[in-house]
Amino acid sequence: RQAITHQALHDALTDLPNRRALDDYLPKALSRAQHLGSVVAVGILDLDEFKPVNDTHGHEAGDKLLQELAARLGSRMRSTDLLTRFGGDEFVLVLDGLDELRYLEQIDTSLARLHQTVESAFEVTPGVWVKVGMSMGLALYPHSGATGDALLRQADAALYQIKSRKLDRARWWQLGAEDVPFSESNTPVDPFSAQAAALLGVADELLRRVSEQFVGQFLATFVLEPEMRAVVRHLDAAQMRDLAQRQANHLGQIFDSRASHDMMRVKALRMGQVQALVGVDPARMTRVTALWRQILSECLRTSSFMTRARHELSQVAEARSLLDLQAQIQAHEHTVSAYFAVLDGPLPQSGTSWQDALADLLQPLAQLPGMQACFLMRPDSKGRFQIESGKGRCAQPVIDHLHAPAYQVLEDEDTPAGQGLVSQAWRQGTIQTTPNYGTDERLRLWRDVMVSLGIQSTAAIPVANAQGQPIFVLVFLGCHLNQFETPWMSQFTRALQNRATQFWQTCRTPTLATILQHGVAQAYRKRLFAGGLRLDMQPVVDLHNGACSRVEALARLHLEDGHIVPPGVFLPLLGDNELDRLFQQVLDQALRQVTAWQAQGHDWDVAVNLPPSTLRNPQCVSWVRDALSQHGVAAQRLTLELLETESLDSDLYAHTINVLHHLGVKLAMDDLGSGYSSLKRLSEMPFDTIKIDQGLTLGLRKSPLTVISLIRTLLELGENLDRQIVVEGLEDAGMIEAVIQLGATHAQGFGLARPMPVEQILDWRRGFVLSVQTDAVHTFLGALACHWMHMNRKGLPLPSLDACPVTRFLAEWGLQNSQAALWHAQVHAGHDVQVSSQKFMNWLIEQAHNSGKRLATSVHAPDRSARSPSHQGAAA
């Protein structure tokens, strides 16, 4: 009966007075009757066969019938009478001023006229006509009661009795109730009082009937509505009935005589939270409660309870159901708000380590209602998804299971382990969800384990980088069916996808190659600060004479089994506090080694990488000052290498850099050309050295002309700013020759010296000889750089053909009579210079790609992970 839940609306539509008007009118009518010695009849009118109209034709049809009925009734009333809407399909009639001797005749006449309102059919929808009947119970003043409330209770009791004899009654109305005692008092019953508990204690049979009818009607009506179908479509018949029974059991607590106000509220809040997560909105909660109350009302009317007991039970149920509904709606709002509040949290500061940011991202998510666990997963180099971090009550058991080979999640879509939601989200780049973990065939491999942990639904949210490539998948495991299918949850997951992207872009992010199992990562971090830290040293070589006056200290993790882990693997695992500890330990070991070398007669300076997060720490300067003092090392012997990032422009960074400079420490900007270059920063900050990023240098083999031009520009910039330039990443003789021809003076790289344990550095120095000549070229890459420099010497003439190092190079390779030599000669002769030069350089580029090297290089298969670009400027 939709009308019951919209009483105010129907009152307005029918233009009838409401209960307030009745409460105002009735005392006055009784007062007049007492003064004049007349009789007042109070009747409660209820429709027969009205429920089938709603069930068959819908609530709108029932509403229309009620409006038409009210209009018909109003047209057949005496001007002295009152008709009010009492609720649902019930009306209250007051016949005023009846004669003490003729009131039965007057009542019979008035009610016969009123019955005409239902003797003709009602058109509820175009072309559809229905008929209903009426029943009425009446009470008389002063014969049946002295107050309006007493008269209404007597009329209600009479109505109940006449409706129970609907099939064999002589007339449709009854005057007075038989054998029903009434109290003049109508004090509302406290729904949690001892009186209410005693009343509820005898209502078990009634509650059983209500529950049975509720389950049947819930399955027959609510689950067929389009909005509810979205919630229950994944349930089988048994699960559907279980859902209906759980609803009935929850509402049944209204009749639990042992329940206190607080107990009911706690249960209602819990139910409201569940309703929010599975997709039942407040409007539907209201309708479910209204259905239960309607069935309760019908069961009360046909029960064996006396009228007063029915009335009081109805009062208690009304009050308790209202409390329950209000608490459910409140919990629904709080649940949705809790999810979206997570999206409003602050983003990490630029340069924050990924490990620190992960905790800030996942911890609030794991604490959300209904969340069993949440994870961040990425595939390793073998296509096996690893849990990089996990939070939540079920996180550790899930981690343990997914690490087992039988449950490993794979990227390969041709395997059962690659059919799950995580793999599909990674491959397709779209959010994947399932409303029922236990029935989704894609999740068959993990079903038993997850269901045993109370996991009933899941969502996999892929996050991509600026190029649209997947970088990780956020995985949510929920404890309710349908948890990630609701419209508001879909909105939340899309917003979270954007927030996770912002986290990734803001932080120092590791490469996909460094993904480790959760347990392995924890073990690495523990070992690093328990004696596993060792330093390798890589010399910085003077390209003019092969001298070495400075080495760079590079952190290595030595495991107990002798395996060495490079920094590109373990550094991304560290948070800011751990990076601070690592910097202090590397600084201590490096300065201790400077002291040891000095005692052996070797005045080598040392360079240590300074992480941006450590530079941000207010204690950074104190750590450096104390370490220098402890080891007795002059400040100028220490170079601190800072990763070139945008954050260096902040006032805090600039202040710390200036304080370090005044301390006497040398400063080097690491990885110039990695993407953040700023002329303002280079000109204003007190850097002594600038290091050209190895990522740029390694491009000499792929795009030689572009890289040659960029390196030369950076070298000229260093010269103009009076900074020493160190070129990183030189892996072979060709690259060394190229940068020498471009004007480089200092360099690092495997082609000069690999990073090596401290105890090997002296042997390397004694045996090292720079095999590359500064005034000659012996490789195609060196010849290309030499020719490019000749062609870009603004305002300076080319050297003679015989004096050109490239001429000697061509002769050395037996190419003095080749077409390439002819192009080279035409350039020096000034014939068609631009065309000849371009053809000659194209030929040199092709030879640099495809030809073997003239000189043996000092490395053959460089292991770039030994100093991975992912070291992020930390103490590598």
Side-chain angles (χ1 to χ4, degrees):
R1 293 182 180 174
Q2 182 77 348
I4 294 176
T5 63
H6 295 90
Q7 178 176 336
L9 172 63
H10 295 146
D11 288 342
L13 291 175
T14 58
D15 291 326
L16 287 180
N18 55 25
R19 178 62 187 266
R20 185 179 301 171
L22 175 66
D23 293 340
D24 182 63
Y25 176 87
L26 194 52
K28 296 176 181 177
L30 299 183
S31 178
R32 285 194 303 271
Q34 183 181 21
H35 179 70
L36 298 174
S38 60
V39 173
V40 176
V42 177
I44 298 180
L45 183 153
D46 183 81
L47 293 184
D48 299 328
E49 307 304 321
F50 177 68
K51 183 176 181 297
V53 176
N54 276 333
D55 293 344
T56 304
H57 304 290
H59 295 299
E60 291 185 2
D63 292 349
K64 186 173 181 181
L65 187 152
L66 289 176
Q67 295 173 50
E68 175 63 23
L69 173 66
R72 293 182 184 182
L73 289 171
S75 67
R76 288 167 172 80
M77 298 291 298
R78 299 184 308 170
S79 61
T80 57
D81 300 335
L82 176 71
L83 178 70
T84 70
R85 177 75 179 287
F86 201 62
D89 56 344
E90 290 185 345
F91 299 80
V92 172
L93 172 69
V94 180
L95 300 177
D96 193 8
L98 300 177
D99 187 82
E100 174 67 24
L101 299 178
R102 299 178 54 247
Y103 67 84
L104 285 176
E105 177 185 346
Q106 292 172 329
I107 290 174
D108 188 71
T109 301
S110 294
L111 297 189
R113 188 167 57 249
L114 289 182
H115 195 267
Q116 296 172 2
T117 61
V118 295
E119 292 173 1
S120 60
F122 294 80
E123 186 179 24
V124 292
T125 58
V128 177
W129 298 80
V130 299
K131 292 200 70 173
V132 294
M134 291 195 301
S135 297
M136 179 179 283
L138 293 107
L140 293 181
Y141 173 85
H143 309 296
S144 303
T147 67
D149 288 333
L151 293 170
L152 286 169
R153 289 198 299 273
Q154 276 280 21
D156 182 64
L159 173 65
Y160 162 71
Q161 291 176 355
I162 191 67
K163 283 188 75 73
S164 67
R165 299 194 302 270
K166 187 167 51 176
L167 299 179
D168 60 350
R169 65 195 182 189
R171 60 185 179 187
W172 65 279
W173 55 273
Q174 176 175 312
L175 180 61
E178 303 167 358
D179 302 321
V180 180
F182 280 96
S183 167
E184 289 297 303
S185 172
N186 191 33
T187 304
V189 178
D190 180 351
F192 297 100
S193 66
Q195 177 187 355
L199 191 63
L200 294 170
V202 296
D204 290 345
E205 176 61 23
L206 175 71
L207 181 60
R208 184 188 62 77
R209 289 168 52 201
V210 172
S211 178
E212 289 177 354
Q213 293 186 36
F214 174 86
V215 170
Q217 293 194 36
F218 182 91
L219 292 174
T221 57
F222 277 88
V223 298
L224 299 179
E225 297 175 356
E227 296 84 357
M228 281 297 291
R229 264 203 304 272
V231 177
V232 302
R233 69 183 187 279
H234 56 279
L235 302 180
D236 57 28
Q239 289 173 322
M240 290 270 286
R241 186 163 187 85
D242 180 63
L243 171 64
Q245 190 61 58
R246 286 202 307 272
Q247 288 278 356
N249 292 344
H250 172 76
L251 291 166
Q253 73 176 331
I254 292 171
F255 267 55
D256 185 350
S257 60
R258 299 161 298 177
S260 66
H261 177 281
D262 291 342
M263 289 171 57
M264 277 196 61
R265 178 170 171 78
V266 168
K267 292 180 180 179
L269 290 173
R270 188 180 303 123
M271 175 60 80
Q273 181 183 101
V274 174
Q275 303 278 40
L277 292 172
V278 302
V280 179
D281 59 35
R284 200 155 287 104
M285 293 180 193
T286 303
R287 291 189 56 200
V288 169
T289 301
L291 173 64
W292 191 89
R293 286 164 55 185
Q294 172 197 336
I295 296 171
L296 172 66
S297 177
E298 293 172 352
C299 289
L300 275 172
R301 180 168 293 175
T302 59
S303 72
S304 59
F305 288 107
M306 297 296 290
T307 301
R308 179 175 181 81
R310 287 189 286 117
H311 177 70
E312 291 178 348
L313 279 171
S314 180
Q315 276 188 315
V316 172
E318 181 80 16
R320 288 190 170 198
S321 64
L322 181 60
L323 166 67
D324 178 83
L325 182 59
Q326 288 174 339
Q328 283 194 55
I329 293 174
Q330 181 184 28
H332 187 288
E333 294 173 351
H334 286 176
T335 300
V336 176
S337 297
Y339 271 77
F340 283 95
V342 170
L343 303 175
D344 294 331
L347 292 173
Q349 292 184 347
S350 178
T352 300
S353 73
W354 180 236
Q355 288 300 313
D356 286 344
L358 263 183
D360 294 338
L361 177 64
L362 294 183
Q363 191 62 47
L365 296 172
Q367 296 172 349
L368 288 172
M371 198 71 73
Q372 293 286 71
C374 58
F375 301 96
L376 186 144
M377 301 183 72
R378 295 194 289 158
D380 59 21
S381 58
K382 296 183 179 179
R384 300 171 302 192
F385 278 90
Q386 303 293 347
I387 295 178
E388 190 165 348
S389 183
K391 302 289 183 182
R393 62 177 64 92
C394 289
Q396 194 55 52
V398 172
I399 290 172
D400 294 340
H401 282 292
L402 293 185
H403 281 170
Y407 299 110
Q408 180 75 63
V409 181
L410 301 181
E411 190 177 353
D412 185 1
E413 63 181 325
D414 295 327
T415 63
Q419 296 300 314
L421 270 61
V422 173
S423 306
Q424 290 193 23
W426 177 267
R427 291 192 298 267
Q428 300 175 19
T430 57
I431 297 174
Q432 301 290 318
T433 63
T434 184
N436 191 335
Y437 207 114
T439 60
D440 196 322
E441 286 302 305
R442 298 173 296 176
L443 303 169
R444 183 174 62 252
L445 180 64
W446 308 277
R447 179 185 300 159
D448 293 343
V449 169
M450 296 301 181
V451 172
S452 71
L453 293 173
I455 294 162
Q456 300 211 56
S457 57
T458 186
I461 305 172
V463 177
N465 59 19
Q467 290 73 42
Q469 301 166 330
I471 45 181
F472 60 81
V473 178
L474 282 176
V475 183
F476 292 159
L477 303 177
C479 61
H480 299 292
L481 298 171
N482 209 61
Q483 185 165 326
F484 303 104
E485 310 301 315
T486 64
W488 72 262
M489 185 65 81
S490 297
Q491 181 183 357
F492 168 78
T493 53
R494 289 193 299 271
L496 180 62
Q497 189 178 41
N498 294 332
R499 178 172 171 81
T501 301
Q502 291 177 305
F503 262 70
W504 177 267
Q505 294 172 345
T506 303
C507 299
R508 303 194 307 272
T509 51
T511 64
L512 291 177
T514 64
I515 300 170
L516 300 172
Q517 290 185 359
H518 188 68
V520 174
Q522 289 182 318
Y524 281 3
R525 294 162 72 177
K526 181 178 180 180
R527 172 63 181 165
L528 185 65
F529 299 107
L533 175 64
R534 299 285 190 277
L535 294 187
D536 277 4
M537 300 292 182
Q538 186 174 30
V540 177
V541 176
D542 187 321
L543 295 177
H544 289 155
N545 54 26
C548 172
S549 60
R550 183 171 77 243
V551 295
E552 182 180 1
L554 303 171
R556 300 291 184 264
L557 172 57
H558 286 238
L559 303 181
E560 294 177 343
D561 61 4
H563 180 68
I564 300 175
V565 182
V569 173
F570 67 81
L571 284 177
L573 307 176
L574 305 183
D576 287 352
N577 291 336
E578 292 168 317
L579 287 173
D580 290 345
R581 291 177 60 193
L582 180 60
F583 169 73
Q584 293 175 72
Q585 291 191 24
V586 170
L587 184 62
D588 178 72
Q589 290 190 26
L591 294 180
R592 183 182 299 114
Q593 188 58 47
V594 169
T595 302
W597 284 329
Q598 188 169 347
Q600 300 173 37
H602 301 285
D603 293 332
W604 285 339
D605 298 344
V606 68
V608 173
N609 287 279
L610 177 58
S613 60
T614 303
L615 184 64
R616 190 169 59 238
N617 193 308
Q619 300 182 65
C620 174
V621 175
S622 298
W623 293 334
V624 174
R625 183 189 296 112
D626 293 346
L628 290 169
S629 175
Q630 178 184 351
H631 294 286
V633 175
Q636 63 268 23
R637 303 286 303 279
L638 172 65
T639 298
L640 295 177
E641 297 192 0
L642 284 69
L643 180 68
E644 189 223 357
T645 64
E646 290 177 309
S647 57
L648 286 180
D649 292 329
S650 72
D651 293 340
L652 176 60
Y653 283 101
H655 173 73
T656 306
I657 289 171
N658 281 312
V659 173
L660 288 170
H661 173 69
H662 289 301
L663 186 63
V665 172
K666 293 182 179 179
L667 299 171
M669 178 185 285
D670 200 3
D671 292 353
L672 180 66
S674 60
Y676 299 97
S677 298
S678 167
L679 292 177
K680 180 177 181 293
R681 185 185 308 125
L682 288 173
S683 62
E684 292 183 355
M685 290 190 178
F687 290 105
D688 303 279
T689 302
I690 298 171
K691 304 186 78 172
I692 295 180
D693 178 42
Q694 65 171 334
L696 176 62
T697 309
L698 294 175
L700 278 168
R701 291 290 178 188
K702 297 179 180 179
S703 304
L705 279 184
T706 300
V707 175
I708 282 172
S709 177
L710 285 172
I711 290 177
R712 178 54 194 165
T713 300
L714 294 176
L715 290 170
E716 288 180 336
L717 179 63
E719 293 171 4
N720 294 334
L721 296 175
D722 195 23
R723 306 285 196 269
Q724 184 186 80
I725 300 290
V726 176
V727 182
E728 295 184 299
L730 301 183
E731 295 189 345
D732 55 52
M735 296 171 72
I736 297 171
E737 277 192 354
V739 300
I740 288 176
Q741 291 299 319
L742 294 174
T745 58
H746 292 80
Q748 280 179 274
F750 292 166
L752 297 165
R754 285 174 170 272
M756 62 194 77
V758 170
E759 55 271 16
Q760 296 179 13
I761 194 77
L762 293 178
D763 291 338
W764 169 83
R765 185 67 192 92
R766 283 191 289 266
F768 176 73
V769 175
L770 183 64
S771 59
V772 178
Q773 299 171 296
T774 59
D775 59 350
V777 293
H778 303 282
T779 66
F780 287 102
L781 200 53
L784 177 63
C786 180
H787 180 76
W788 185 91
M789 283 291 290
H790 287 164
M791 296 302 299
N792 287 274
R793 294 170 61 181
K794 298 177 181 178
L796 296 176
L798 291 173
S800 66
L801 181 62
D802 293 338
C804 179
V806 178
T807 303
R808 295 194 295 273
F809 164 77
L810 292 171
E812 181 180 344
W813 279 80
L815 298 170
Q816 62 272 25
N817 296 319
S818 65
Q819 178 62 57
L822 177 60
W823 290 326
H824 180 242
Q826 289 176 341
V827 171
H828 281 272
H831 299 309
D832 204 5
V833 174
Q834 294 302 322
V835 174
S836 298
S837 175
Q838 188 61 55
K839 290 180 178 179
F840 183 54
M841 285 194 293
N842 290 341
W843 177 82
L844 286 172
I845 291 171
E846 182 181 357
Q847 299 307 309
H849 280 310
N850 302 323
S851 297
K853 300 176 180 62
R854 172 74 171 181
L855 298 176
T857 61
S858 59
V859 294
H860 299 282
D863 177 15
R864 294 188 180 94
S865 67
R867 192 179 188 279
S868 168
S870 69
H871 73 289
Q872 311 290 335

